[in-house]
Each structure stands twice: as structure tokens, then as C-alpha cells.
Amino acid sequence: MNTSPSPDLSRRHFIAQTSLGLASVATLSRAVAQGSTANTRLRLGLVGCGSRGQWILNLFTEHGGYEVVGVADYFPAAVASAATKFKLTPGQTFTGLKCAEKMIAKGGLDAVAIISPPYFHPAQARAAVDAGLHVYLAKPTAVDVPGCHSIADTGTLARKKGLTFLVDFQTRTNPFYVEAVGRLHAGTMGDVCFG
């Protein structure tokens, strides 16, 4: 989903700047995001503190352009693990079904990485964009057609608000996948039996 915040920051430029390993890690500077000094870091919250969520959050911290200021997950044990790993206080942790909304409502965030189960993505992404936050959203974006429409609407709203809304799905731009699709379309791989 492409919802670049301005013509100066194209989707390709953003993705080129954000790819780190298999997962993208956003590198949008605070100056671009909010017009503040370029040497400060974006305040980031994580929604979904399982192993993948913590792995993604670690990529953000390795990048260095981010300060982790909150974590949210339904499961208290997952939150406790992330809080220990990223040195957060109890006031920076949120649990329960509305954990993302609680973290967003507390304020102090510039962006959220949503790595929770996809059933919750539409509501969590909308809450983040409504609060004026940049969003990095794991795939799949949703589990049903209404959820996908909601994500599309939220992405459109993010673009109108000048926010970045990035879905973690760049595999299709990998040169090996592009080459395989090219060979498939050229007929050199035979008949498709399964996809």
C-alpha cells in the first residue's frame, strides 16, 4: 500500500531507505516526519510483542533512528519480555484486547509498528492514523474483505494527513522473484499447477 507523505519522499525512495534484511525498517527522519531537528529519533511503539514483533523492533533499534517508548500485546508475558529486552518501564507497557489503543491514547509516539495478529490490524492501524502516527504494518493486512477495505481507507487517510503508511511486503520486488515471474509469463517454466 503506497501512501507517501509528500512528493519529496516517493514509495521507492522510502522502501530503498527502509530495507534492512528481509524486513523493511523505516528510516524516515524526524525532520521529514515532523519538521524537527534532523538528529533526533522517532519515538516508536510496538504492537505485538511475540518473537517476530521483537525481531522487527530490534531492526528498528539497530537502525538507530528510533527510540522505543512503548510496547503493547494482549499477553502480559510477551510484554514483559519486550520490556526487559528494550529496557522499558511499566508505564511504557500495555496489555489486554485494547492494548494498542491504550498505548496510542497515552501519547508520546511518532510511529507504531503493528506486528499483531491480522484480525486486529484494521482497528489498530486506524487508531494510529487517527492519532497522527506513521504506521509500519505487518502482512497480511487483514483477514476479510471489509478489513482490507478498512486498511485501504486508512492508507488513503494517512496519505491525506501526510503520514507514512507502509505494509511489510516487499518480496515481490526481490530480483529473484521478479525473474521467476518473468520466466513464468514467458512460458519457460511450463504449466502452472499450483500457486
Side-chain angles (χ1 to χ4, degrees):
M1 178 163 293
N2 174 21
T3 56
S4 302
S6 72
D8 297 333
L9 186 64
S10 71
R11 179 177 185 275
R12 287 188 189 275
H13 179 265
F14 183 79
I15 290 173
Q17 295 295 316
T18 61
S19 294
L20 179 61
L22 239 18
S24 297
V25 178
T27 62
L28 187 66
S29 72
R30 181 173 215 110
V32 172
Q34 293 185 323
S36 61
T37 60
N39 291 327
T40 58
R41 297 182 298 168
L42 287 175
R43 297 169 309 224
L44 178 68
L46 170 68
V47 180
C49 299
S51 58
R52 180 158 177 88
Q54 290 190 44
W55 178 70
I56 294 288
L57 193 56
N58 194 56
L59 294 176
F60 277 101
T61 60
E62 285 178 4
H63 173 272
Y66 300 88
E67 175 186 359
V68 179
V69 297
V71 292
D73 195 291
Y74 175 77
F75 298 103
V79 168
S81 172
T84 299
K85 183 175 181 178
F86 297 101
K87 299 179 176 78
L88 300 175
T89 67
Q92 295 174 297
T93 63
F94 304 86
T95 60
L97 281 176
K98 295 289 186 178
C99 59
E101 291 83 349
K102 291 177 198 174
M103 181 176 67
I104 290 165
K106 182 177 180 186
L109 296 171
D110 299 313
V112 292
I114 300 173
I115 319 296
S116 59
Y119 311 102
F120 301 108
H121 288 178
Q124 292 171 343
R126 186 55 182 251
V129 170
D130 284 347
L133 304 179
H134 301 283
V135 174
Y136 173 93
L137 180 65
K139 65 181 183 339
T141 58
V143 297
D144 55 18
V145 173
C148 291
H149 284 295
S150 174
I151 292 292
D153 292 343
T154 299
T156 299
L157 177 62
R159 181 174 52 243
K160 288 178 182 175
K161 292 177 93 170
L163 300 170
T164 298
F165 192 90
L166 176 69
V167 174
D168 177 17
F169 187 68
Q170 286 75 47
T171 303
R172 66 184 177 270
T173 64
N174 180 297
F176 295 106
Y177 286 90
V178 172
E179 176 69 19
V181 169
R183 290 182 185 195
L184 178 69
H185 289 174
T188 60
M189 296 176 74
D191 294 330
V192 176
C193 299
F194 179 77

